[in-house]
Amino acid sequence: ATSPSLSNYIEYPTFFRTPPSDAYQGMASADVIKNVFGWDNVIVISATDAYSAAGAAAFELSALNAELTVTQSKQVNELPSYSSLTAAVNAISGSSTRIVFMMAQAFTAGLIMREAYA
């Protein structure tokens, strides 16, 4: 329940959430990457489910506003094919950018990380 659309108090007058919306999580992540660590370039890898895609989109918008360069952005579906995993991992290994922002459910993230480790 982190979609910014749920923050519409007119449409959802009784909705309450404890985690911040994706918009705030994206801003916080971009701020930490840029202003705490001092990194300027990032690769974004996300899954295609609603949570992951919205979180990655919020991060990319915040990265743009923070003057971070997103050198590549890749999406993999929730049950990715080997070629989809390979494309995501090759985006990392074939780039001089070493910082990766990944937004995915645990299962999909695990598949991506196992492929990267292989």
Side-chain angles (χ1 to χ4, degrees), residues 29-30 33 39-47 55-57 59-60 63 68-76 84-104 112 116:
S29 297
I33 288 170
W39 298 324
D40 294 316
N41 300 306
V42 62
I43 294 171
V44 176
I45 296 180
S46 67
F59 172 78
E60 288 191 42
L68 276 170
T69 301
V70 175
T71 58
Q72 292 189 58
S73 183
K74 299 286 183 186
Q75 280 193 322
V76 296
S84 176
L85 288 172
T86 302
V89 171
N90 286 344
I92 300 166
S93 64
S95 173
S96 61
T97 301
R98 305 316 312 154
I99 309 307
V100 177
F101 177 87
M102 182 166 39
M103 190 76 171
I112 294 167

Side-chain angles (χ1 to χ4, degrees), residues 12-88:
Y12 304 103
T14 59
F15 182 76
F16 177 79
R17 73 169 111 222
T18 53
S21 79
D22 293 332
Y24 290 111
Q25 292 182 57
M27 285 190 302
S29 297
D31 182 59
V32 168
I33 288 170
K34 178 72 174 183
N35 298 314
V36 174
F37 294 115
W39 298 324
D40 294 316
N41 300 306
V42 62
I43 294 171
V44 176
I45 296 180
S46 67
T48 56
D49 63 275
Y51 170 74
S52 303
F59 172 78
E60 288 191 42
L61 178 61
S62 295
L64 177 67
N65 292 334
E67 298 180 355
L68 276 170
T69 301
V70 175
T71 58
Q72 292 189 58
S73 183
K74 299 286 183 186
Q75 280 193 322
V76 296
N77 66 34
E78 295 168 62
L79 295 172
S81 65
Y82 177 74
S83 61
S84 176
L85 288 172
T86 302

